[in-house]
Amino acid sequence: IKLYNNIAKEGLNQFNANYNVSEDVQSCDGILVRSANLFDIEYNPELKAICRAGAGVNNIDINTCTEKGIAVFNTPGANSNAVKELVFAGLLLASRDIYHGMEWVKKESDNPDLSKLVEKQKKRFAGNELVGKSLGVIGCGAIGVQVANLALRFGMEVHGYDPYMSIDAAWNLSRYVHHETSIEDIYRKCDFITLHIPMNDSTKNTINKESIAQMKDGVKILNFARGGLVNDDDMKEALDSRKVAFYVTDFPTNKLASHPYVAAIPHLGASTEESEINCAVKACQEMKDYLENGNITNSVNL
């Protein structure tokens, strides 16, 4: 097994002494990867499987792998709790003006009258509560379902849209989530919109000038899925006009990172110790089961 990234030892411990697992392996039977780009690698004839310790597989040449009969696996759900928790940090950043308030405190940190000044200035950063607000969840997979269910506990009115929802996801989704049959209904009804869909040709620039025009004035948008789902130019225009009140993204870009109404997070969604261990264990179990028994679990192409 060839490693293209650091994989948590808890995952690698799934392999016994019959396996040679290393970055130095040449003619490998399997590849374990996280974020390394595999589009330019040479596929040796012995290669049977590639396993991504994570959900997204846009760093893997799926078409070539399929043509060569190489199974590509991912680990959906293994990092869902980590992302869900950060989404709620994003919701709170977008609803309460914590972001600008903290920036202001740092600027005034040397002011000897800071304590008095805080009481006078705090009204500048007064925000809104989540309770009673509407949240639109676009994509009700492993992460979207958890976000939707938790939002109900915060007293939000939750609307979900996913034309490809799996049976498992449907079973796990609360019956109190409003099922929307068109994405336009999410745009029209919701105060907050959060994206939890894969990035592909059909979903690129899902959030653009046309979709934003259908949204409420002052809508707040969160993207913890993939950067290309949002058109940066259109988002900047909407933020400048205040059509979009706030944008929280886990995928910083040069065009938006410094915007005063953007909270740009350095791709921390699944970056927790627990998440990396969960993904590693699941990836190695899938790889081992396929190589030893031929079982296919969570393959994206076979």
Short mmCIF file of all heavy atoms in Angstrom, two decimals, residues 197-238:
data_model
loop_
_atom_site.label_atom_id
_atom_site.label_comp_id
_atom_site.label_asym_id
_atom_site.label_seq_id
_atom_site.Cartn_x
_atom_site.Cartn_y
_atom_site.Cartn_z
N ILE A 197 -23.23 19.85 -0.87
CA ILE A 197 -23.32 19.07 -2.10
C ILE A 197 -21.92 18.87 -2.68
O ILE A 197 -21.01 19.65 -2.39
CB ILE A 197 -24.24 19.74 -3.14
CG1 ILE A 197 -23.81 21.21 -3.37
CG2 ILE A 197 -25.69 19.66 -2.72
CD1 ILE A 197 -24.63 21.96 -4.40
N PRO A 198 -21.73 17.84 -3.50
CA PRO A 198 -20.41 17.63 -4.13
C PRO A 198 -20.16 18.67 -5.21
O PRO A 198 -21.09 19.33 -5.70
CB PRO A 198 -20.53 16.22 -4.71
CG PRO A 198 -21.99 16.04 -4.96
CD PRO A 198 -22.69 16.79 -3.86
N MET A 199 -18.91 18.80 -5.58
CA MET A 199 -18.52 19.72 -6.65
C MET A 199 -18.33 18.93 -7.94
O MET A 199 -17.51 18.02 -8.01
CB MET A 199 -17.22 20.42 -6.24
CG MET A 199 -16.57 21.22 -7.35
SD MET A 199 -17.56 22.60 -7.89
CE MET A 199 -16.56 23.16 -9.25
N ASN A 200 -19.14 19.26 -8.95
CA ASN A 200 -18.98 18.64 -10.27
C ASN A 200 -19.48 19.63 -11.32
O ASN A 200 -19.83 20.77 -11.00
CB ASN A 200 -19.72 17.29 -10.34
CG ASN A 200 -21.18 17.40 -9.91
OD1 ASN A 200 -21.88 18.32 -10.33
ND2 ASN A 200 -21.63 16.48 -9.08
N ASP A 201 -19.52 19.18 -12.56
CA ASP A 201 -19.91 20.09 -13.65
C ASP A 201 -21.32 20.65 -13.47
O ASP A 201 -21.59 21.79 -13.85
CB ASP A 201 -19.81 19.38 -15.00
CG ASP A 201 -18.37 19.08 -15.40
OD1 ASP A 201 -17.47 19.74 -14.84
OD2 ASP A 201 -18.15 18.19 -16.24
N SER A 202 -22.20 19.86 -12.88
CA SER A 202 -23.59 20.31 -12.73
C SER A 202 -23.81 21.21 -11.52
O SER A 202 -24.81 21.92 -11.45
CB SER A 202 -24.54 19.09 -12.65
OG SER A 202 -24.28 18.34 -11.49
N THR A 203 -22.89 21.16 -10.55
CA THR A 203 -23.08 21.97 -9.34
C THR A 203 -22.15 23.18 -9.27
O THR A 203 -22.32 24.04 -8.39
CB THR A 203 -22.85 21.12 -8.07
OG1 THR A 203 -21.51 20.61 -8.07
CG2 THR A 203 -23.83 19.96 -8.01
N LYS A 204 -21.18 23.27 -10.17
CA LYS A 204 -20.26 24.41 -10.15
C LYS A 204 -21.05 25.72 -10.28
O LYS A 204 -21.98 25.83 -11.08
CB LYS A 204 -19.26 24.29 -11.30
CG LYS A 204 -18.20 25.38 -11.29
CD LYS A 204 -17.20 25.18 -12.42
CE LYS A 204 -16.12 26.26 -12.38
NZ LYS A 204 -15.13 26.08 -13.48
N ASN A 205 -20.68 26.70 -9.45
CA ASN A 205 -21.36 28.01 -9.45
C ASN A 205 -22.85 27.90 -9.16
O ASN A 205 -23.66 28.66 -9.72
CB ASN A 205 -21.14 28.74 -10.78
CG ASN A 205 -19.70 29.16 -10.98
OD1 ASN A 205 -18.98 29.43 -10.02
ND2 ASN A 205 -19.26 29.18 -12.24
N THR A 206 -23.21 26.97 -8.29
CA THR A 206 -24.62 26.88 -7.87
C THR A 206 -25.10 28.22 -7.32
O THR A 206 -26.21 28.67 -7.59
CB THR A 206 -24.78 25.79 -6.80
OG1 THR A 206 -24.55 24.50 -7.40
CG2 THR A 206 -26.18 25.79 -6.20
N ILE A 207 -24.24 28.85 -6.52
CA ILE A 207 -24.56 30.18 -6.02
C ILE A 207 -23.95 31.20 -6.97
O ILE A 207 -22.73 31.37 -7.03
CB ILE A 207 -24.03 30.38 -4.58
CG1 ILE A 207 -24.59 29.30 -3.66
CG2 ILE A 207 -24.39 31.77 -4.07
CD1 ILE A 207 -26.10 29.25 -3.56
N ASN A 208 -24.83 31.87 -7.73
CA ASN A 208 -24.39 32.84 -8.72
C ASN A 208 -25.38 34.01 -8.74
O ASN A 208 -26.27 34.10 -7.90
CB ASN A 208 -24.27 32.19 -10.11
CG ASN A 208 -25.56 31.51 -10.53
OD1 ASN A 208 -26.65 31.97 -10.20
ND2 ASN A 208 -25.45 30.41 -11.27
N LYS A 209 -25.20 34.90 -9.69
CA LYS A 209 -26.03 36.10 -9.74
C LYS A 209 -27.52 35.75 -9.85
O LYS A 209 -28.37 36.35 -9.18
CB LYS A 209 -25.62 36.95 -10.95
CG LYS A 209 -26.35 38.28 -11.05
CD LYS A 209 -25.85 39.11 -12.22
CE LYS A 209 -24.42 39.55 -12.02
NZ LYS A 209 -23.96 40.51 -13.06
N GLU A 210 -27.83 34.73 -10.66
CA GLU A 210 -29.22 34.36 -10.87
C GLU A 210 -29.84 33.74 -9.62
O GLU A 210 -30.97 34.05 -9.25
CB GLU A 210 -29.34 33.38 -12.05
CG GLU A 210 -29.08 33.98 -13.41
CD GLU A 210 -27.61 34.30 -13.65
OE1 GLU A 210 -26.73 33.65 -13.03
OE2 GLU A 210 -27.33 35.21 -14.46
N SER A 211 -29.10 32.85 -8.96
CA SER A 211 -29.66 32.22 -7.77
C SER A 211 -29.76 33.21 -6.61
O SER A 211 -30.74 33.21 -5.86
CB SER A 211 -28.82 31.01 -7.36
OG SER A 211 -27.48 31.37 -7.09
N ILE A 212 -28.78 34.10 -6.48
CA ILE A 212 -28.81 35.10 -5.41
C ILE A 212 -29.99 36.04 -5.59
O ILE A 212 -30.64 36.45 -4.62
CB ILE A 212 -27.48 35.88 -5.36
CG1 ILE A 212 -26.35 34.96 -4.89
CG2 ILE A 212 -27.59 37.09 -4.45
CD1 ILE A 212 -24.96 35.56 -5.01
N ALA A 213 -30.32 36.36 -6.83
CA ALA A 213 -31.44 37.27 -7.10
C ALA A 213 -32.77 36.72 -6.58
O ALA A 213 -33.70 37.48 -6.28
CB ALA A 213 -31.53 37.54 -8.60
N GLN A 214 -32.87 35.39 -6.47
CA GLN A 214 -34.10 34.77 -5.99
C GLN A 214 -34.19 34.72 -4.46
O GLN A 214 -35.22 34.37 -3.90
CB GLN A 214 -34.20 33.35 -6.53
CG GLN A 214 -34.20 33.26 -8.04
CD GLN A 214 -34.17 31.82 -8.53
OE1 GLN A 214 -35.07 31.04 -8.23
NE2 GLN A 214 -33.13 31.47 -9.27
N MET A 215 -33.09 35.07 -3.79
CA MET A 215 -33.04 34.96 -2.33
C MET A 215 -33.60 36.19 -1.64
O MET A 215 -33.78 37.25 -2.25
CB MET A 215 -31.59 34.72 -1.89
CG MET A 215 -30.95 33.47 -2.44
SD MET A 215 -29.20 33.34 -1.95
CE MET A 215 -28.67 31.95 -2.95
N LYS A 216 -33.84 36.05 -0.35
CA LYS A 216 -34.27 37.16 0.48
C LYS A 216 -33.17 38.22 0.55
O LYS A 216 -31.98 37.90 0.51
CB LYS A 216 -34.57 36.69 1.90
CG LYS A 216 -35.80 35.82 2.08
CD LYS A 216 -35.97 35.52 3.57
CE LYS A 216 -37.24 34.73 3.84
NZ LYS A 216 -37.43 34.51 5.30
N ASP A 217 -33.58 39.48 0.68
CA ASP A 217 -32.59 40.53 0.94
C ASP A 217 -31.98 40.28 2.32
O ASP A 217 -32.69 40.03 3.29
CB ASP A 217 -33.24 41.91 0.91
CG ASP A 217 -33.70 42.30 -0.48
OD1 ASP A 217 -33.23 41.68 -1.46
OD2 ASP A 217 -34.55 43.22 -0.60
N GLY A 218 -30.64 40.36 2.39
CA GLY A 218 -29.96 40.14 3.67
C GLY A 218 -29.75 38.69 4.01
O GLY A 218 -29.46 38.35 5.16
N VAL A 219 -29.84 37.81 3.02
CA VAL A 219 -29.61 36.39 3.26
C VAL A 219 -28.16 36.16 3.70
O VAL A 219 -27.26 36.95 3.37
CB VAL A 219 -29.92 35.57 1.98
CG1 VAL A 219 -28.95 35.93 0.86
CG2 VAL A 219 -29.92 34.08 2.25
N LYS A 220 -27.95 35.11 4.46
CA LYS A 220 -26.60 34.74 4.90
C LYS A 220 -26.29 33.35 4.38
O LYS A 220 -27.10 32.43 4.54
CB LYS A 220 -26.51 34.82 6.42
CG LYS A 220 -26.71 36.24 6.92
CD LYS A 220 -27.02 36.33 8.39
CE LYS A 220 -27.29 37.79 8.80
NZ LYS A 220 -27.69 37.92 10.21
N ILE A 221 -25.12 33.21 3.76
CA ILE A 221 -24.78 31.98 3.04
C ILE A 221 -23.54 31.34 3.64
O ILE A 221 -22.57 32.03 3.98
CB ILE A 221 -24.56 32.28 1.54
CG1 ILE A 221 -25.85 32.86 0.94
CG2 ILE A 221 -24.13 31.02 0.79
CD1 ILE A 221 -25.69 33.33 -0.51
N LEU A 222 -23.58 30.02 3.78
CA LEU A 222 -22.44 29.27 4.32
C LEU A 222 -22.02 28.21 3.32
O LEU A 222 -22.86 27.50 2.75
CB LEU A 222 -22.81 28.59 5.64
CG LEU A 222 -23.15 29.51 6.82
CD1 LEU A 222 -24.65 29.85 6.82
CD2 LEU A 222 -22.79 28.84 8.14
N ASN A 223 -20.72 28.10 3.12
CA ASN A 223 -20.18 27.07 2.23
C ASN A 223 -19.07 26.31 2.93
O ASN A 223 -17.94 26.78 3.04
CB ASN A 223 -19.65 27.71 0.94
CG ASN A 223 -19.09 26.67 -0.02
OD1 ASN A 223 -19.30 25.47 0.15
ND2 ASN A 223 -18.36 27.13 -1.03
N PHE A 224 -19.41 25.11 3.39
CA PHE A 224 -18.43 24.20 3.98
C PHE A 224 -18.34 22.93 3.14
O PHE A 224 -17.95 21.88 3.64
CB PHE A 224 -18.82 23.86 5.43
CG PHE A 224 -18.63 25.01 6.39
CD1 PHE A 224 -19.62 25.95 6.55
CD2 PHE A 224 -17.44 25.15 7.08
CE1 PHE A 224 -19.45 27.02 7.42
CE2 PHE A 224 -17.26 26.22 7.95
CZ PHE A 224 -18.25 27.16 8.12
N ALA A 225 -18.70 23.04 1.86
CA ALA A 225 -18.71 21.87 0.97
C ALA A 225 -17.53 21.91 0.01
O ALA A 225 -16.58 21.13 0.14
CB ALA A 225 -20.03 21.80 0.22
N ARG A 226 -17.57 22.82 -0.99
CA ARG A 226 -16.49 22.97 -1.96
C ARG A 226 -16.46 24.41 -2.46
O ARG A 226 -17.50 25.03 -2.67
CB ARG A 226 -16.67 22.01 -3.15
CG ARG A 226 -16.34 20.54 -2.85
CD ARG A 226 -14.85 20.34 -2.66
NE ARG A 226 -14.49 18.97 -2.35
CZ ARG A 226 -14.42 18.46 -1.14
NH1 ARG A 226 -14.70 19.21 -0.09
NH2 ARG A 226 -14.06 17.20 -0.95
N GLY A 227 -15.25 24.92 -2.70
CA GLY A 227 -15.10 26.31 -3.09
C GLY A 227 -15.80 26.66 -4.39
O GLY A 227 -16.40 27.72 -4.53
N GLY A 228 -15.72 25.81 -5.39
CA GLY A 228 -16.27 26.11 -6.71
C GLY A 228 -17.78 26.17 -6.78
O GLY A 228 -18.34 26.51 -7.82
N LEU A 229 -18.46 25.89 -5.69
CA LEU A 229 -19.92 25.95 -5.69
C LEU A 229 -20.43 27.39 -5.71
O LEU A 229 -21.60 27.63 -6.02
CB LEU A 229 -20.48 25.24 -4.44
CG LEU A 229 -20.18 23.75 -4.34
CD1 LEU A 229 -20.64 23.22 -2.99
CD2 LEU A 229 -20.86 22.97 -5.47
N VAL A 230 -19.56 28.34 -5.36
CA VAL A 230 -19.95 29.75 -5.28
C VAL A 230 -19.12 30.55 -6.28
O VAL A 230 -17.90 30.44 -6.32
CB VAL A 230 -19.72 30.29 -3.85
CG1 VAL A 230 -19.99 31.79 -3.78
CG2 VAL A 230 -20.60 29.55 -2.85
N ASN A 231 -19.80 31.36 -7.08
CA ASN A 231 -19.12 32.25 -8.01
C ASN A 231 -18.63 33.47 -7.25
O ASN A 231 -19.42 34.26 -6.73
CB ASN A 231 -20.09 32.68 -9.12
CG ASN A 231 -19.43 33.54 -10.17
OD1 ASN A 231 -19.04 34.67 -9.90
ND2 ASN A 231 -19.29 33.00 -11.37
N ASP A 232 -17.32 33.63 -7.16
CA ASP A 232 -16.73 34.70 -6.34
C ASP A 232 -17.13 36.09 -6.80
O ASP A 232 -17.42 36.97 -5.98
CB ASP A 232 -15.21 34.57 -6.35
CG ASP A 232 -14.70 33.48 -5.45
OD1 ASP A 232 -15.51 32.89 -4.71
OD2 ASP A 232 -13.49 33.20 -5.47
N ASP A 233 -17.13 36.33 -8.10
CA ASP A 233 -17.47 37.66 -8.62
C ASP A 233 -18.91 38.02 -8.27
O ASP A 233 -19.20 39.15 -7.84
CB ASP A 233 -17.26 37.71 -10.13
CG ASP A 233 -15.79 37.62 -10.52
OD1 ASP A 233 -14.94 38.17 -9.78
OD2 ASP A 233 -15.49 36.99 -11.55
N ASP A 234 -19.81 37.07 -8.45
CA ASP A 234 -21.22 37.33 -8.14
C ASP A 234 -21.45 37.49 -6.65
O ASP A 234 -22.26 38.32 -6.22
CB ASP A 234 -22.09 36.19 -8.69
CG ASP A 234 -22.07 36.12 -10.21
OD1 ASP A 234 -21.56 37.08 -10.83
OD2 ASP A 234 -22.55 35.12 -10.77
N MET A 235 -20.70 36.72 -5.86
CA MET A 235 -20.84 36.85 -4.41
C MET A 235 -20.33 38.22 -3.95
O MET A 235 -20.96 38.87 -3.11
CB MET A 235 -20.07 35.73 -3.70
CG MET A 235 -20.07 35.83 -2.18
SD MET A 235 -21.73 35.84 -1.43
CE MET A 235 -22.16 34.09 -1.62
N LYS A 236 -19.21 38.67 -4.49
CA LYS A 236 -18.68 39.98 -4.11
C LYS A 236 -19.67 41.09 -4.44
O LYS A 236 -19.90 42.01 -3.64
CB LYS A 236 -17.34 40.24 -4.80
CG LYS A 236 -16.68 41.55 -4.36
CD LYS A 236 -15.36 41.76 -5.05
CE LYS A 236 -14.66 43.02 -4.51
NZ LYS A 236 -15.50 44.22 -4.61
N GLU A 237 -20.26 41.01 -5.60
CA GLU A 237 -21.25 42.02 -6.00
C GLU A 237 -22.44 42.02 -5.04
O GLU A 237 -22.94 43.08 -4.65
CB GLU A 237 -21.71 41.73 -7.43
CG GLU A 237 -22.70 42.74 -7.98
CD GLU A 237 -23.11 42.41 -9.41
OE1 GLU A 237 -22.29 41.87 -10.17
OE2 GLU A 237 -24.29 42.70 -9.76
N ALA A 238 -22.89 40.83 -4.65
CA ALA A 238 -24.03 40.72 -3.74
C ALA A 238 -23.69 41.21 -2.34
O ALA A 238 -24.53 41.80 -1.65
CB ALA A 238 -24.52 39.27 -3.69
#
